Amino acid sequence: MSEKGAGETISYRDAGVDIDRADALVKRIKAISATTTTRGVLGQVGGFGALFELPLDRYRHPVLVSGTDGVGTKLRLAIDTGCHQSVGIDLVAMCVNDVLALGAEPLFFLDYFATARLDLEVAEAVIQGVAAGCKLAGTALIGGETAELPGMYADKDYDLAGFCVGVVERDRIIDGSLIKPGHVLLGLASSGPHSNGYSLIRKVVERAGVDLQSRFGARTLAETLLEPTRIYVDAVQHLIRDVPVLGIAHITGGGLLENVPRILPVGCRANIDTRSWKRPPIFDWLREAGNIQNHELYRTFNCGVGLVVCVDSRDAERAGDLLRRRGQEVAAIGVIDEAESQEPCVCLDGLTPTDG
C-alpha cells in the first residue's frame, strides 16, 4: 500500500510559511527603518547582524545599558479592533523608558514580530509604529526578526517583543543610591494605562458588558485604551544635563507601589500624595466598573503617573519647569523619609504594599 501523497511535491508555503511574502515585508521594513537612522548606524536592515558605532567622541567611560520588553495583552485589543500602529510605539516606549531609568541615552532598537500567517499590511502598520516610537525616542531601528509560525498562533494573532541598547557615562549612572530622606519625587503624567494591566482591563470590559466602540469622552473606549505609552526620553535627557537627578522609576507592571521601591536605598520610604495629580478618567472608570480596591489599582496600573523622578528639594522647582518646557505634565507627588523597617517601601496616603 502506498503512502498518501507519495510522489507529490511539497513546499514551505504548503506548510504555512510564505518566503516571498516575508521578503516583500523586509523590503518595506528597509524603507521604514531608514527614516530612523541616527549617527552611529552602520549598514542597513537585512544582514545577519546589526552594526552600531559607539559614540566614543561623546563618552569618556561608556557603559552599555540594555532592556527588553513586550506589549502584553494590549495586543489583543489591537488585533480585535484592527488598530495596529499604536502598539509599535508602545513596544519602543516600554524598552526605552526602562533604559532611560538608569540615565542612559537609547542608541538603537530591534523588534521581534511573530505571527501564524504573515499579513503584509498588518505587519507594516506595526513596524511603522515601531519606527514612529524610535523617532520619538531619538533611537535607530537597525534590525529585528519577523517569524511566520503556523500552528503556534491563532489566525490573525501576533506577538511583539523589543530590544533596546543605550549608553551612559559610568560616573553618571542613575541607580537611586544617592536618594536620602528629604528628597522630592516628581511625577510625569502618563497617557493612560500605557502597556500594563490589560488582562485586568479586558476582564473589566467583559464583565461590564461594554462595547469597545462606545463613546468614552471625546473618543471611543477602544481609542482611549489603545493610546500609546508615553516616551519620556527627550524631556528626561534634557533634565539630566541640567539638574542632578538622583533616581528614576518607570511605572510599569506593579504600579507605583512596586516600582518606586526599586530605586530606593535600604531604610527609605516614599510618601506619595495621590491627591497631588489628576488621575485620568479611565482609571476611575476601571475602579468603578470593575469594583477594584485601591491597593489593587495602585499595584496594577500607573494611575496617571508614568515616570517618577527623584531630585533634591532645592532642585525640584527648576526640574519641574525644565520638564514642562519639554512638553511634560509634572507634579510634586511626594517626599522621601526614613522607613520604619529597613525594607524600601511606598506609602500612598496611608496605603502600603502590605495593606489588603
Side-chain angles (χ1 to χ4, degrees), residues 70-71 74-75 84-97 109 125-137 160 191 194-195 226-232:
V71 182
K74 190 174 185 178
L75 289 178
H84 304 283
Q85 189 162 337
S86 64
V87 292
I89 300 175
D90 283 305
L91 183 67
V92 175
M94 295 301 288
C95 296
V96 299
N97 288 342
F109 188 86
V126 171
I127 303 304
Q128 284 177 337
V130 172
C134 285
K135 284 187 274 191
L136 287 171
L160 282 175
S191 57
H194 284 180
S195 296
L226 285 170
E227 180 71 24
T229 304
R230 188 161 291 173
I231 292 174
Y232 300 100

Side-chain angles (χ1 to χ4, degrees), residues 162-186:
F163 312 86
C164 178
V165 173
V167 63
V168 63
E169 199 74 70
R170 182 168 180 172
D171 60 8
R172 301 203 68 182
I173 294 173
I174 298 172
D175 60 6
S177 60
L178 299 178
I179 294 176
K180 296 178 181 178
H183 289 158
V184 172
L185 297 174
L186 302 178

Side-chain angles (χ1 to χ4, degrees), residues 268-279:
C268 283
R269 178 177 66 178
N271 281 317
I272 295 178
D273 182 357
T274 59
R275 299 163 300 182
S276 59
W277 73 91
K278 185 177 180 180
R279 193 162 67 187

Side-chain angles (χ1 to χ4, degrees), residues 210-224 285:
V210 180
D211 185 346
L212 286 170
Q213 299 308 320
S214 62
R215 302 307 298 177
F216 189 88
R219 300 185 294 177
T220 66
L221 180 59
E223 289 169 336
T224 301
W285 180 84

Side-chain angles (χ1 to χ4, degrees), residues 106-121:
L107 293 176
F108 58 85
F109 188 86
L110 297 94
D111 70 283
Y112 174 80
F113 178 93
T115 185
R117 182 183 181 279
L118 189 59
D119 182 317
L120 284 179
E121 302 308 315

